[in-house]
Amino acid sequence: AVDDSHSLADLLSALRHKKLVLIDTAGINVKHHHFQQQLGLIAQMRDSIQPLLVLASTSQAQVQAAEIDAYSAISPIASIVTKVDEAIRLGEGLGLLIQAKIPIAYTTHGQSVPEDIAVADSVSIVNKTVALSRAHLAVKEQMIEGFGAVYANSSVKEACTARVG
């Protein structure tokens, strides 16, 4: 943890023999007053690190866009798309990353890191995106049919009630 007695530079120096060091910003919302402070620490170390943007696939597209915009100040070299196993949609987030020209380096599928982190595979990501899109379309059609039946039943019920009343 980076605090008053352990600077980011000191911690990175102590870990310099490691092949990969992940620095977690503790998920502070981009609107939180400490966010700019954390971003400043990372920006100061920009010559020593290669920042990756962590993007939760379960977040709303507007939240993802705000995060991409906020972290653009440190020029992330790639991204980690998390919670792919929980996502209802992937296309919006992928589109935002493509638009920002931020490649996907890793994906996560589950709650355990490092066990559930994997090197990104474009074919798998596209297949998962298409599968989710098809499932979403099927659910949407079921909802339309279901609400149509509710509407039809309610109008029949109202017509019968109106005649009796």
Side-chain angles (χ1 to χ4, degrees):
V2 174
D3 55 29
D4 292 339
S5 60
H6 302 95
S7 72
L8 180 57
D10 292 341
L11 289 173
L12 288 174
S13 178
L15 298 169
R16 68 184 170 279
H17 65 284
K18 298 291 184 183
K19 193 173 187 177
L20 176 67
V21 176
L22 299 176
I23 302 169
D24 187 357
T25 59
I28 290 181
N29 185 294
V30 298
K31 296 178 184 176
H32 192 277
H33 63 278
H34 282 101
F35 175 78
Q36 290 301 324
Q37 181 182 5
Q38 278 192 352
L39 205 60
L41 285 172
I42 294 170
Q44 289 173 2
M45 300 298 301
R46 186 60 177 92
D47 293 337
S48 305
I49 62 173
Q50 297 177 331
L52 276 71
L53 170 69
V54 176
L55 194 68
S57 63
T58 55
S59 294
Q60 296 172 335
Q62 296 90 337
V63 173
Q64 292 172 332
E67 290 173 350
I68 290 170
D69 183 55
Y71 282 99
S72 68
I74 57 167
S75 303
I77 63 161
S79 64
I80 301 173
V81 177
T82 65
K83 302 181 182 184
V84 174
D85 59 312
E86 299 176 28
I88 296 172
R89 295 179 173 189
L90 288 174
E92 293 168 334
L94 297 180
L96 291 168
L97 288 170
I98 291 167
Q99 190 174 32
K101 295 180 174 60
I102 302 173
I104 302 170
Y106 300 97
T107 57
T108 69
H109 311 267
Q111 303 300 315
S112 301
V113 174
E115 295 84 9
D116 296 330
I117 190 169
V119 174
D121 172 38
S122 58
V123 172
S124 296
I125 293 169
V126 170
N127 286 341
K128 176 75 171 177
T129 303
V130 170
L132 287 173
S133 178
R134 287 181 178 154
H136 179 72
L137 182 60
V139 169
K140 182 178 176 182
E141 289 172 358
Q142 289 171 346
M143 288 179 64
I144 290 169
E145 288 176 15
F147 282 117
V150 168
Y151 178 76
N153 289 338
S154 67
S155 61
V156 169
K157 187 176 182 180
E158 289 173 14
C160 290
T161 305
R163 287 184 199 150
V164 173

